[in-house]
Amino acid sequence: MKIYRILFAIIGILSCLNAIAQDTELNSYTFGEGIDFDAEKGGKFKLEGYIQPYFESKGYSEVDETANRYRMRRMRLRLSGNSANERFSYRFQVDLAGANEVDDEEGNNYLLDAYIAYDITKRIEVAFGQRATYTDNRELFMNSYALQLVERSRLTSAFASIREFGLFLRGNFKTGNGTYLRPYFALTTGDGPNVFSKDRGGLKIGGRLDFLPFGTFTNFGQFRQADIVRERAPKLAVGVHYSHNNGMSSRRGRESGAIVYLDANNNESLPNYTKYGVDFIFKYLGFSVLGEYINADAFVPANISQRVRIDGSTSTNFDVNGTMNVDSYVRGRMMLGEAYNIQGGYIFKNGVSLDARYTHLIADENSFLNNATFYNRPNYYTIGVTKYLTRSYGAKIQASYTITDGSDGVNTNKGLPTTEDENIFRLILTLAF
């Protein structure tokens, strides 16, 4: 099945290129920034792509157990463009590696972006389709090939829904003295990417508000982590975001039907999920800092009386530590709690970057964040080094070392309980065109 999906994605891209390439000519090419084409009737489109071969080694402080992993982390192609009058635009992006955006679970996510956008005015754009949502933390605004460290933070993997299908609006308003206000709004299915099965629950509504007190960043720097362009004046973006998912059937809203509950009449009854946060990014002369805070909570309906097992059968067992408690059981399968992430770094003029990150997770009493196999690790300490091979994000080698706090009790790679720290070494190569 996987090979068929890859072939389908390749055929889709080639078909789009063949349709668009009629009466077009090459405009420009910048390494790492894609190939620009002009259409005879005035339209424009761009083809971009990159690969990221990856190595990871995970061990424990005093446990003789190490697991090594080799894989293609990402292998992406993106096609984007706009009409002759530039009011209509589109994006189509696939990942032939089929990997998830965050490295905490397996996935077959070949289709990433597929949406059409329209400029209502010069300051307001509306888009419909599948794309990265505006209601996640700021790190999800950053392109994957432009990450400061090898992997995204654990805050992102714990709480982000990443991509969703729905309606998206964004604005860009000058507010005087060189400042900008950027509001965002999203109305989505709340089930992550496009749902081919039953769409459960209600809709998800949310938004974000960003303020840029020192003007816009150079070369889309607000959406790229390290300050490779070395901003000559201080640049800052600070924002808040909020979302409410009415009836969610997964841990954090990434897929539909992963976790389903029923009432006494066999009707679906699903918990609501609310998330909010505040974040910022700052850049100046090669120095950059990213800070994020996020909080997630849930409302569990009182009429839940059954849960649906993986095989489709139902159960009325909601045992939590020897006591039947529906509210605690439901919450225990969701990502509830709060987290902080702070990271920063400096790029020297020779293209070497030194970076560091600290992430802290605070799990609710009943939350999947307490799961010893995947989480239950409150502190993550990471240092990294990157060598940029060009004066862009197009070619770089990155290495990082992470110490994960296992003092609350975690399971090793082989499922053995321990309170030792995890030690993770990662290495990744990025090549873009």
Side-chain angles (χ1 to χ4, degrees), residues 364-421:
D364 283 358
E365 180 180 0
N366 296 294
S367 169
F368 193 75
L369 286 174
N370 296 310
N371 182 281
T373 299
F374 302 103
Y375 292 95
N376 208 37
R377 298 152 173 85
N379 300 298
Y380 299 78
Y381 308 89
T382 301
I383 56 173
V385 59
T386 298
K387 171 57 180 176
Y388 292 86
L389 305 178
T390 64
R391 297 180 64 86
S392 71
Y393 300 94
K396 60 180 178 176
I397 300 175
Q398 294 176 281
S400 69
Y401 186 78
T402 300
I403 298 176
T404 302
D405 180 6
S407 60
D408 287 349
V410 301
N411 295 333
T412 68
N413 301 310
K414 296 181 179 179
L416 302 176
T418 182
T419 56
E420 301 298 328
D421 292 341

Side-chain angles (χ1 to χ4, degrees), residues 74 139 144 146-153 225-226 342-344 354-358 382-386 388 396 398-401 428:
R74 299 178 183 92
E139 192 181 34
S144 302
L147 295 180
Q148 191 170 32
L149 291 154
V150 176
E151 280 293 350
R152 298 185 186 273
S153 75
Q225 288 188 356
I342 184 74
Q343 65 186 65
L354 300 180
D355 309 287
R357 168 196 288 155
Y358 171 64
T382 301
I383 56 173
V385 59
T386 298
Y388 292 86
K396 60 180 178 176
Q398 294 176 281
S400 69
Y401 186 78
I428 196 169

